[in-house]
């Protein structure tokens, strides 16, 4: 039996339907109010334009990366403050954009303009500069003298490559700084990311990765050519 409501409506429907929905489901919204650090989203830009609002919960740098998008040959990203949308605070034409030194709970609107319709895919990433409000009960024995400062810094990527905020690896842009389209290489050629040129080179012409690389740090990616055998990495 169905139990009666403890708080029935004071204005019930005078003529309810004789054929109610068997399993009514409220549809979820197609767009949430805000994206936050670490969010991912994908969809279709029917006219090549889109706007995405991202909130950074703590003070720091906010980045967005569209390098996994498909169908675009050119993409411009403009970042504006939600409460001052007429002023562009940062801009980029390389599929990724970082807005530095933002205050706590800042809302940034990323305005995207592509040269044609296509499928967008982006990831947001935040590098927070403020210390946590809930510190660990077991602090490190040798604390840093500069709290709130990032302990590890990723090295710059070579040549025209840039570091993807979604994978942490150095990748080639779809369009070079001179406006030329970066070629898509097919075997036996590979993309020369190590030199940073993004040219197509033979596998045999790539310098093999060392078997004993320099020690790596947390958050630092390594890229190299594996030709078989044993590799040793010190972290």
């Amino acid at each position: 039996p169905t139990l009666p409501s403890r708080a029935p409506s004071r204005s019930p429907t005078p003529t309810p339907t004789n054929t109610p929905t068997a399993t009514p489901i409220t549809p979820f919204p197609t767009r949430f109010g805000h994206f936050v650090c670490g969010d991912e989203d994908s969809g279709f830009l029917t006219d090549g334009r889109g706007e995405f609002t991202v909130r950074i919960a703590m003070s720091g740098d906010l980045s967005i990366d569209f390098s996994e998008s498909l169908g675009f040959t050119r993409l411009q990203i403009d970042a504006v403050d939600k409460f001052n949308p007429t002023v562009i605070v940062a801009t980029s034409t390389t599929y990724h954009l970082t807005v530095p030194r933002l205050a706590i709970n800042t809302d940034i609107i990323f305005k995207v303009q592509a040269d044609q319709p296509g499928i967008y895919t982006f990831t947001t990433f935040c590098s927070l500069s403020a210390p946590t409000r809930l510190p660990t009960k077991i602090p490190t024995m040798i604390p840093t003298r500069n709290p709130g400062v990032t302990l590890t810094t990723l090295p710059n990527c070579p040549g025209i490559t840039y570091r993807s905020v979604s994978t942490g690896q150095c990748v080639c842009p779809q369009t070079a700084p001179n406006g030329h389209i970066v070629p898509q290489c097919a075997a036996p050629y590979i993309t020369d990311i190590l030199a940073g040129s993004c040219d197509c080179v033979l596998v045999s012409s790539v310098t093999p990765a060392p078997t004993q690389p320099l020690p790596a740090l947390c958050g630092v990616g390594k890229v190299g050519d594996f030709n078989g055998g044993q590799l040793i990495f010190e972290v």
Side-chain angles (χ1 to χ4, degrees):
T2 302
L3 296 177
S5 173
R6 293 184 178 181
S9 173
R10 295 183 178 180
S11 55
T13 303
T15 54
T17 177
N18 293 325
T19 57
T21 304
T23 56
I25 298 177
T26 302
F28 57 84
T30 56
R31 172 69 63 191
F32 295 101
H34 292 88
F35 293 98
V36 296
C37 301
D39 277 352
E40 298 180 359
D41 192 47
S42 183
F44 192 79
L45 297 181
T46 55
D47 59 354
R49 298 181 180 181
E51 293 187 3
F52 309 92
T53 303
V54 184
R55 170 171 294 179
I56 181 170
M58 301 292 289
S59 58
D61 301 342
L62 172 61
S63 300
I64 193 167
D65 182 79
F66 285 86
S67 60
E68 303 298 325
S69 300
L70 300 174
F72 312 133
T73 56
R74 291 190 306 275
L75 187 71
Q76 178 169 335
I77 311 171
D78 293 329
V80 300
D81 191 311
K82 179 180 179 180
F83 298 101
N84 191 12
T86 60
V87 178
I88 298 177
V89 296
T91 186
S92 173
T93 57
T94 59
Y95 290 84
H96 70 287
L97 176 62
T98 296
V99 185
R101 300 181 298 277
L102 294 175
I104 184 173
N105 287 335
T106 298
D107 292 336
I108 294 295
I109 300 177
F110 291 98
K111 297 184 176 182
V112 178
Q113 175 65 65
D115 62 327
Q116 59 188 9
I119 299 174
Y120 73 85
T121 299
F122 72 79
T123 303
T124 61
F125 175 77
C126 296
S127 176
L128 305 180
S129 59
T132 177
R133 295 183 178 181
L134 298 174
T136 178
K137 295 181 180 180
I138 310 176
T140 178
M141 298 299 294
I142 308 177
T144 176
R145 295 182 179 180
N146 299 300
V149 178
T150 304
L151 297 181
T152 58
T153 302
L154 296 177
N156 294 329
C157 292
I160 65 173
T161 64
Y162 69 94
R163 190 172 301 281
S164 170
V165 297
S166 59
T167 65
Q169 302 294 328
C170 294
V171 296
C172 291
Q174 295 189 8
T175 305
N178 59 7
H180 294 169
I181 303 299
V182 174
Q184 299 296 319
C185 306
Y189 295 91
I190 62 174
T191 303
D192 193 356
I193 295 179
L194 292 178
S197 64
C198 294
D199 294 331
C200 295
V201 296
L202 286 172
V203 176
S204 59
S205 64
V206 177
T207 303
T211 57
Q212 186 74 35
L214 294 175
L217 301 175
C218 296
V220 177
K222 293 290 184 179
V223 179
D225 182 42
F226 180 66
N227 296 324
Q230 182 182 20
L231 289 177
I232 300 175
F233 298 95
E234 180 183 350
V235 182

